[in-house]
Every structure is written in structure tokens, then in C-alpha cells.
Amino acid sequence: MSYEVIALLMFSSMMLMLLTGQRVFAAIGFIAVVAALALWGEGGSEMGFSAAMKLMKWYPLLTLPLFVYMGYMLSESGIADDLYQMFHVWMGPLNGGLAIGTVLLMVAVSAMNGLSVAGMAIGASIALPELLRRGYDKIMVTGVIQAGSSLGILVPPSVVLVLYGMIARQPVGQLWLAGVFPGLMMAGLFILYIVVRCWFQPQLGPALAEQERNIPFAQKLRLLRAGILPLLIFFCMTGLFLMGVTSLVESSAVGAVTATLAALIKGRLNYTVMEATLRKTLGISCMFMWIILAALCFGAVFDGLGAVKAIEGFFIGQLALGPWEVLILMQLSFLLMGTFLDDTAMLVIVAPLYVPLVDALGFNLIWYGVLYTITCQIAYMTPPFGYNLFLMRAMAPPEIGLKDIYVSIIPFVFVMMLALALVMLFPQIALWLPGQHYGY
């Protein structure tokens, strides 16, 4: 049996196991171990052990549980609620102002969390009921919350970029900085869409009633204090890292400590909050650890087969495609897989194939990490099985049906595709900031 057929058999077997509903790490790890033992005998058992040791020795992985802890601490202690109240008062007088405030809230949550699920939970539980109560169109606001929550996997500290850095062997600090401007650009495009749409159709996002706007200016200024703690947390975490005072892992520890202190200062740090935060942090961190371990083992088997060279020869040699044509095909394959897989599964399945190929084609792997993440954001919201669609269905009130959720994301998917095209056409959107900081 040729190596190409073995690689195809491994890939198809893994996809079949995933479609049967098996856990991602179990399906990938099982196929990797069986293939290693079948191909190399007893010596193949060393592959899994080697992958585990490689994982345990990867020091930046310590950032993963610390950032997850920080995000859940801010969410469970209610600091995000205070932020939304601030945006509500300051942005409410505009048509679509509360929707704009929701996007800004999502950016703030993303800068403190790194997971889209936290943004979705905060948006669906805090923002969505308020928006519906004030007469906002249910389809538009559902799309706003889904699109805004997807920013969590692009704006630093993105957990997805940490996983990509692990698998692609790229510096996480550079990946985070590369995600800053694309993430802010995408948030700006969302806001622009809301402004334009509500300008022509003000009934979709009515401004606050006159009596609700008559708040003394002094009270408005007091509400701004809700933004001070998150800004301090972000500065202590990211600012100190950019100034070179802390390392990547140290900055994640600073973020976790400052989030805990913020909850304490607010008087919201109690046993219930701490238990919920620790339980969720442990669950998410262990899940990611198992997935990375399975991915490394699967990638080692693929690399041993020479499957990457075979795919490179097929695209460039047999099909005679240029580098950009191959890259576009990769992005399209991500979008297709995103209809039935989450971002982590996609990364684990194709990273062992695509990352070496992208490098061989001469593209920057930091830039490609941003492209992958934006494509994941689009895939998150693509029917029939987009991850965010089901999260929203689980959290939305009864009056928002599955059809409303599917329809709501259409304009935002087009906005995201525009952002993806801009980053592809102008790589410096992603590469300028890490280039300035790291001097390359």
C-alpha cells in the first residue's frame, strides 16, 4: 500500500469517527496510535509518548489555563455586566447605539478572555434581553451577538492562536500582536454595518427614549468607572508584555491575579464564584490539552509518512497551481469543514498538512495564523452546523427560532469575508505590529 493511500485511509477513518459523534481528541488520538502501531510496530508506541513529552515541555502552554481562568473570573463576578451598563448609557441615544455598545462589549470581553463561548454567554444573557426589550429587531441583534462573540478567537489573548502557535511552532506573542489590527478592523466593520443599516432602517435599532436619556452628566461620568477595571487588567496584562516588563507566561499570570483582585475589590469574590470559575477553567484546559496531545501524535505519523510532500507535489506538480491558488483552496476547505467541525478540530486535522505546505509556498506563518483564525470565525457562523449557531440556539429566548438565527448571520458573514480578503490582499494589516515590536 502506498503512503498516499495510507494517509488518505487515516484521514477518512478519522472523519468517519468524528461524524459518529466521538470526542475530537479520542477520534484523532485513536487513529494516530493505531496507524503508528500498524506501520512501525512496537516502535510506533514511542510516538504518543514523545508527543506527550513535547507538550509538557512547551512552556507557553501555561498561558492557556491562566487566560481561561481570567475570562471566567470576569464573567462569573459580573464585571462584564457593569461594562454593558456603561455602553448602554453612552451609546443608547444613537440609532443602533445599543448594538454598537454590544460590539464594543464583545471587544472588551475578547481582550480579557480569548474564548468565543464567553462572549456568547455574556451577550446572550446580558445584552440580548435588553436589546429585545427596547424594540431592536430580533434578527439583527442575534447576528450582532454571534458576530461579536467570534472576535474572542482573534483579539488577544486568543486561545485559538495559542493552539495554532503550538502546532505550527510559531511564537504566541507574535501571533497575538498580529491579531490586534485585524480584530479591531473587523469590529469596526461590524459597527459600520450597524450604523449604515440603522441609518436607512431606524426601526431596526431605535434610540433610547427621551426619559431614559435624561441622565445627569455626573452620573454618566460615574458609569465610566465600570471601564476602569477592565482597562487596568488589560494594561497590566498586555501593556506590561509589550513594554518588555513581563514575559508571555508572566503576563497571563498577571491577568489572572488582577482579574481576581478586581472581583475582590468589587465585593463579588465568594466561594460560589471561585468554585464555578475553577471548575470551568479545569474542564476547558483539560479538553484543550488532550486535543493538542492527539494532534501532535497524528501530525508525527503524517510527517513520518511523507504525506505533506505528496500533497505539495499534487497541488504544485500535477495540478500546476500557483501559490495563491493553493492558499485560496486551503481557505475554501476550512470554510467547508467549518460547516460540521469546530475550530480546534479543523486545526488539528489540517495543520499537519497545511502549515508545512504554506511554509514551502513562501508565505508567512504568522500571517497565515491570522487567516486561519478569521476563516474559523466565518466557519463558526456557517450553517448547517456552525458552532456559534448552536450556542445561540441554546442560550436565546423562545421567541428567537433556528430560522431567525440562520438568517441573522448572513450579512455578518459577508462582512467577515471582506475582512479576510483585506488581510489577504494587505498582509501588513496583520504583520505591521509584530514587525514593529519584534523588529523584523
Side-chain angles (χ1 to χ4, degrees):
M1 188 182 293
S2 68
Y3 289 152
E4 289 84 356
V5 174
I6 295 172
L8 184 61
L9 184 62
M10 284 180 62
F11 189 81
S12 58
S13 300
M14 179 179 62
M15 294 300 294
L16 183 62
M17 286 193 69
L18 287 170
L19 290 173
T20 61
Q22 298 295 324
R23 293 184 182 274
V24 172
F25 80 87
I28 296 167
F30 176 75
I31 295 298
V33 170
V34 169
L37 292 174
L39 290 167
W40 290 285
E42 290 185 6
S45 63
E46 295 294 323
M47 284 188 164
F49 179 76
S50 175
M53 289 301 100
K54 192 181 296 183
L55 178 66
M56 296 304 173
K57 290 190 291 186
W58 196 61
Y59 185 59
L61 194 66
L62 284 171
T63 60
L64 179 62
L66 289 169
F67 281 128
V68 173
Y69 168 88
M70 180 181 68
Y72 279 120
M73 176 57 70
L74 293 169
S75 175
E76 295 294 327
S77 62
I79 291 173
D81 301 42
D82 299 340
L83 265 179
Y84 185 70
Q85 179 64 25
M86 181 188 75
F87 289 130
H88 168 83
V89 169
W90 281 89
M91 305 301 296
L94 302 173
N95 285 329
L98 294 184
I100 295 170
T102 300
V103 173
L104 294 174
L105 172 70
M106 297 298 184
V107 173
V109 169
S110 299
M112 297 181 291
N113 182 275
L115 290 170
S116 67
V117 66
M120 177 68 80
I122 290 168
S125 61
I126 300 171
L128 185 58
E130 286 292 319
L131 291 164
L132 293 175
R133 190 167 65 84
R134 284 171 167 77
Y136 273 64
D137 180 71
K138 66 177 181 178
I139 292 178
M140 188 185 79
V141 298
T142 303
V144 167
I145 290 169
Q146 291 182 88
S149 68
S150 71
L151 294 169
I153 66 171
L154 182 58
V155 176
S158 165
V159 172
V160 171
L161 286 175
V162 172
L163 298 180
Y164 173 84
M166 174 66 188
I167 295 173
R169 300 289 188 274
Q170 296 299 307
V172 176
Q174 292 187 29
L175 286 166
W176 277 355
L177 291 181
V180 171
F181 285 152
L184 294 177
M185 177 186 73
M186 192 177 294
L189 290 173
F190 291 157
I191 290 172
L192 181 63
Y193 165 75
I194 294 167
V195 169
V196 172
R197 184 89 187 271
C198 292
W199 176 271
F200 290 104
Q201 296 176 286
Q203 71 276 11
L204 296 181
L208 281 182
E210 186 68 34
Q211 59 269 25
E212 289 189 83
R213 282 189 257 170
N214 289 331
I215 297 175
F217 189 70
Q219 187 177 340
K220 284 187 175 184
L221 288 178
R222 281 196 297 273
L223 284 170
L224 284 177
R225 290 185 299 183
I228 294 175
L229 274 177
L231 280 175
L232 282 175
I233 293 169
F234 187 72
F235 172 76
C236 290
M237 178 186 65
T238 308
L240 294 177
F241 170 66
L242 293 178
M243 291 188 296
V245 177
T246 59
S247 67
L248 178 67
V249 176
E250 289 168 347
S251 69
S252 64
V254 168
V257 170
T258 51
T260 307
L261 289 175
L264 182 64
I265 291 168
K266 285 280 189 178
R268 296 170 184 171
L269 186 63
N270 53 44
Y271 177 80
T272 304
V273 168
M274 184 59 76
E275 183 187 27
T277 300
L278 291 176
R279 281 185 180 276
K280 291 178 179 180
T281 300
L282 183 63
I284 292 289
S285 301
C286 290
M287 179 190 72
F288 278 127
M289 289 280 281
W290 276 111
I291 289 173
I292 297 170
L293 177 60
L296 290 173
C297 188
F298 192 87
V301 176
F302 250 67
D303 191 45
L305 283 171
V308 175
K309 290 292 182 185
I311 291 174
E312 183 182 342
F314 175 73
F315 278 126
I316 299 173
Q318 297 181 32
L319 296 182
L321 297 177
W324 279 98
E325 292 168 316
V326 175
L327 187 73
I328 290 170
L329 280 177
M330 290 179 184
Q331 299 305 103
L332 291 174
S333 70
F334 272 132
L335 291 175
L336 179 63
M337 284 189 289
T339 60
F340 58 92
L341 292 174
D342 65 24
D343 61 313
T344 310
M346 285 193 291
L347 180 61
V348 167
I349 290 168
V350 299
L353 300 174
Y354 283 4
V355 169
L357 183 55
V358 168
D359 194 30
L361 293 172
F363 293 113
N364 187 295
L365 289 178
I366 300 293
W367 170 71
Y368 183 70
V370 175
L371 292 187
Y372 157 75
T373 307
I374 296 175
T375 311
C376 279
Q377 290 177 280
I378 298 170
Y380 259 27
M381 296 165 53
T382 308
F385 302 116
Y387 190 54
N388 271 18
L389 301 176
F390 288 109
L391 281 175
M392 176 55 76
R393 184 69 191 92
M395 298 176 184
E399 63 264 32
I400 297 178
L402 193 59
K403 181 184 176 183
D404 298 326
I405 293 171
Y406 278 9
V407 172
S408 70
I409 52 89
I410 293 173
F412 292 98
V413 166
F414 283 112
V415 171
M416 290 170 137
M417 287 183 172
L418 172 61
L420 177 63
L422 288 172
V423 176
M424 290 180 74
L425 291 171
F426 305 102
Q428 286 302 309
I429 295 175
L431 296 178
W432 181 82
L433 188 58
Q436 288 292 310
H437 185 71
Y438 289 97
Y440 64 79

